[in-house]
Amino acid sequence: MDIIISAVANRTGSTLVQRIFNARRKTLIWGEHGGIVTDFVRIGEMAGYFSIQGRGEKEAYFKSGEDPNTWIANMSPDLERIREGVVQAVKACFNAMYAEHRDNHDRIGFKEVRYGKPEIELLKACYPDAVIVLLVRHPVDVWKSETSYWSGDAGLFSRIWNERAMQYAELRDPDRSIHLLRYEELVERDEATLGLLAELAGISRDEIDSVLNVNLNSTRTERHASDIEQIRAICREGMERLRYAD
């Protein structure tokens, strides 16, 4: 993977950023895959649990000269081996998944709207040279754009948004090629934001404008004032970290 676009939630502009990267003819950014990296994170956590729990058994077994009469029910490899196994598993999965059309493109990637810090850190361990774009949007505007993803539960949405917003603010690290973009600055054509995108995508400003000028699948509906009030209250910390005013 050369490019990974990760949005704080649905309806945050990830498809727009995907389209901008794909404006370069030799770049292919695929769409969402259902958040499967979360399952790899869980695999690592479960295997890591047994690695820790079975550490004494492993040490006793090998100190015994591998005596089969030593208790070894939870004996597991070291954490380092488990982490490497998960990294190799993710890479093998994506290498197979995204082989389609690879021969005609020199930059491959995907976008997703379900990942927080554990998934981003795992992806960075798998692809240390990849460009990662973290995309955020004001939570009230996200809620006004769509609610069905969270079954109309403003509290559930707010908790997810706030947790990921805090994580994204922490993850931002241009030295590691992890960049944080605000949707509002993108659509308002902020010069610094578009300049960074042009550099990351390897395209011109005119090519970015050619995508921004085409509005696809835009939605916006007024919501209950109680929902908006709840979102502002729960998301306050994340909004402050991301420089969003009330």
Side-chain angles (χ1 to χ4, degrees):
M1 295 295 101
D2 302 295
I3 301 160
I4 297 166
I5 301 165
S6 183
V8 71
N10 305 73
R11 308 305 300 170
T12 308
S14 61
T15 303
L16 176 59
V17 176
Q18 175 191 15
R19 290 169 52 213
I20 287 173
F21 273 89
N22 279 357
R24 178 178 177 271
R25 302 299 294 178
K26 297 287 285 184
T27 297
L28 177 59
I29 307 300
W30 294 88
E32 297 157 30
H33 47 236
I36 60 174
V37 173
T38 301
D39 293 313
F40 288 102
V41 170
R42 291 178 182 144
I43 289 170
E45 290 172 347
M46 181 59 71
Y49 170 82
F50 279 93
S51 175
I52 294 170
Q53 291 297 111
R55 184 175 295 154
E57 295 177 12
K58 182 183 71 172
E59 292 173 354
Y61 179 67
F62 287 104
K63 283 181 180 178
S64 75
E66 302 184 43
D67 180 355
N69 291 320
T70 304
W71 183 257
I72 53 175
N74 292 319
M75 183 173 69
S76 295
D78 286 344
L79 282 172
E80 290 75 13
R81 299 276 62 78
I82 297 215
R83 294 188 185 107
E84 181 60 23
V86 172
V87 165
Q88 293 302 325
V90 172
K91 292 169 69 174
C93 178
F94 283 159
N95 285 344
M97 279 178 58
Y98 297 125
E100 187 176 358
H101 297 295
R102 182 176 291 149
D103 291 344
N104 298 323
H105 301 87
D106 58 14
R107 301 184 81 190
I108 300 290
F110 63 82
K111 67 104 167 179
E112 187 53 86
V113 297
R114 298 167 176 87
Y115 293 153
K117 183 177 180 179
E119 293 87 356
I120 298 301
E121 290 290 11
L122 175 54
L123 288 166
K124 199 60 178 174
C126 294
Y127 308 105
D129 295 328
V131 170
I132 297 181
V133 176
L134 305 176
L135 187 63
V136 299
R137 185 183 185 186
H138 195 295
V140 171
D141 292 328
V142 175
W143 188 249
K144 288 181 177 180
S145 181
E146 183 59 78
T147 64
S148 62
Y149 298 107
W150 306 280
S151 301
D153 188 335
L156 173 63
F157 160 72
S158 299
R159 289 187 292 273
I160 292 172
W161 187 95
N162 193 64
E163 179 181 27
R164 290 184 184 162
M166 297 294 290
Q167 291 175 351
Y168 279 25
E170 180 182 345
L171 281 164
R172 179 187 177 275
D173 187 351
D175 290 339
R176 297 176 65 202
S177 295
I178 303 177
H179 304 274
L180 180 66
L181 300 182
R182 300 202 311 171
Y183 171 79
E184 293 80 5
E185 292 170 345
L186 172 59
V187 296
E188 292 167 5
R189 310 201 188 202
D190 173 74
E191 286 298 325
T193 299
L194 296 191
L196 175 60
L197 261 181
E199 178 183 350
L200 297 177
I203 59 177
S204 68
R205 278 292 309 277
D206 287 343
E207 288 172 307
I208 292 179
D209 286 336
S210 72
V211 175
L212 292 177
N213 290 337
V214 179
N215 191 351
L216 298 177
N217 196 28
S218 178
T219 58
R220 186 176 179 86
T221 304
E222 288 304 313
R223 303 297 179 187
H224 292 295
S226 59
D227 285 353
I228 304 304
E229 183 179 353
Q230 185 177 22
I231 290 169
R232 292 187 188 280
I234 296 175
C235 296
R236 181 171 302 279
E237 188 177 10
M239 290 169 62
E240 290 176 352
R241 285 291 299 274
L242 296 176
R243 298 179 290 111
Y244 283 122
D246 286 345

